Amino acid sequence: MRSIIDIKELSVEEIDELVAVGKDIIANPAAYAHKCEGKKLATLFFEPSTRTRLSFEAAMYELGGHVLTMADAQSSSASKGESVADTAKVISCYADIIAMRHPKEGAPMVAAMNASIPVINAGDGGHNHPTQTLADLLTISREKGRFDHMTVGFCGDLRFGRTVHSLISAMSRYPGVRFLLISPEELKVPSYVKQEIKAHALSYQQTTDLVSAMPELDILYMTRVQKERFFNEEDYLRLKDSYILTPEKLASAKPDLCIMHPLPRVNEISVAVDDDPRACYFKQVLNGKYMRMALILKLLGIR
Amino acid sequence: MNIDSIKNGIVIDHITAGKGMEIYRLLGLDALDCQVAIIKNASSAKMGKKDIIKIDADITVNTDILGYVDPGVTVDTIRNGELVDKKKTELPERLVNILTCRNPRCITTTEQELPHIFRLTDREKGEYRCIYCETKGKTS
Ligand SMILES: [Zn+2]
């Protein structure tokens, strides 16, 4: 019995295998429509995240399984003082697998240590969100056909964006990957993330200028620059437009650039970009569902 | 100064000079009924000065705490006046309830019964991280 709390728990081979299953599901959905018959997924969301929850639930339904949901978990068991450990033990009596989101870092790990069924971390505060990274990886694989030898640009809030940190960590394991880290000074990648890149003998460059970085990129991963992250409003107003993606800024981009975003977006990608064939962020959402299906199958030991 | 040699008990030796009292406290030796001697600034060929703690009872000491606070400390077990066991401590792989996680977003802040577990992530730097939230551990 195995759980997935952190993307780093999956080896490069296991990621390849999950991506292969994801692609096979896309090619032969009917072959998977009954794989999880009689199985139940419990979605325990102690923090609202309707999109992620619906993605897990859609994944389980498409595998022919059932879903038990504790949609407003934060108002039920936790408020009655039940510990995460006890909740995990109780849900283990009803379901075959758990997807858990929790505002506190490490809560899904505590659940995994106490449950007798697999636990998938569906996001623990600003810490880990492995299925988002799996969605990102399937998108890269489908759009680029590979994970190695490419220039990946990350733009926006690289300091607090956990999806950025996880994807850098996952991509650091492939040869010839170069990172272009595009952000305001205030929101640069933390040093431990840079150390991880260096530990794999890969290179990175930091810049504040999206437009000048654009021609080099094979992938552009956008994130939102939030006003709350700045000390004063002037800095925010001065900088915010530099990190909004528009058709004009894409003028010098490669024709096969892949534009990604973990969604939801506010205004960091202008709606005018949506019709560009290089926009992949809605495909990412769909890929997320396929990877959750692949992960559920793997953790339940179903082939 | 004359300190009785021990017949049955524990000698914690090669303590970095000045750390003897801290180790005495952390191991909870103040709660013991038996004779306990703390020798400060004993001369040592290897270390110049060192502290030694002699405990006149065959108790079990937490070598994880010793290894964390002062790696290199040795623990000698003496029975019937003879040295029967000598252990050199090193930084342990895991620390349970020795460090406390200070990250306000960590699950350990809302679930009081959870053990605070830290994993050794860098032996050279002696760096420990909380297993739940990966925040670096700091000695209190
Ligand atoms: Zn912690």
Side-chain angles (χ1 to χ4, degrees), chain A residues 179-192:
Chain A
F179 298 97
L180 269 177
L181 309 171
I182 309 150
S183 72
E185 287 294 330
E186 295 87 339
L187 298 175
K188 280 160 78 171
V189 157
S191 59
Y192 77 89

Side-chain angles (χ1 to χ4, degrees), chain A residues 6 8 82-85 102-107 109-110 113 124 127-128 192 195, chain B residues 94 103-111 113-114 117 125 129 131-135:
Chain A
D6 183 337
K8 287 194 278 267
E82 187 176 62
S83 67
V84 170
H102 200 286
K104 288 286 178 178
E105 299 176 13
M109 176 186 272
V110 173
M113 288 160 81
D124 57 339
H127 186 218
N128 282 315
Y192 77 89
Q195 272 161 18
Chain B
R94 269 160 82 91
N103 172 8
R105 298 174 307 276
C106 180
I107 184 67
T108 54
T109 59
T110 40
E111 306 228 333
E113 334 72 59
L114 277 178
I117 305 175
K125 290 187 199 148
R129 285 183 186 270
I131 63 158
Y132 307 106
C133 71
E134 297 176 85
T135 298

Side-chain angles (χ1 to χ4, degrees), chain B residues 12 15 18-32 36 38 53 55 62 65-66 69 139-140:
Chain B
I12 306 171
I15 299 170
K19 286 207 169 174
M21 279 309 291
E22 186 187 353
I23 288 174
Y24 176 84
R25 251 189 308 110
L26 286 170
L27 292 178
L29 302 181
D30 50 342
L32 292 176
V36 179
I38 305 178
I53 299 176
I55 306 160
N62 185 331
I65 293 184
L66 286 173
V69 176
T139 331
S140 40

Side-chain angles (χ1 to χ4, degrees), chain B residues 23-69:
Chain B
I23 288 174
Y24 176 84
R25 251 189 308 110
L26 286 170
L27 292 178
L29 302 181
D30 50 342
L32 292 176
D33 274 340
C34 65
Q35 239 188 87
V36 179
I38 305 178
I39 302 156
K40 282 179 57 109
N41 301 323
S43 55
S44 156
K46 207 168 54 179
M47 306 167 70
K49 277 180 187 174
K50 64 177 181 181
D51 291 0
I52 305 168
I53 299 176
K54 293 187 178 188
I55 306 160
D56 203 6
D58 196 356
I59 61 157
T60 316
V61 296
N62 185 331
T63 48
D64 281 354
I65 293 184
L66 286 173
Y68 174 67
V69 176

Side-chain angles (χ1 to χ4, degrees), chain A residues 57-96:
Chain A
E57 296 181 1
M60 194 56 170
Y61 283 124
E62 288 189 30
L63 290 166
H66 298 277
V67 172
L68 301 172
T69 188
M70 201 150 93
D72 54 348
Q74 76 267 41
S75 63
S76 48
S77 65
S79 62
K80 287 188 193 121
E82 187 176 62
S83 67
V84 170
D86 284 4
T87 304
K89 286 176 187 158
V90 168
I91 301 301
S92 294
C93 303
Y94 303 141
D96 299 283

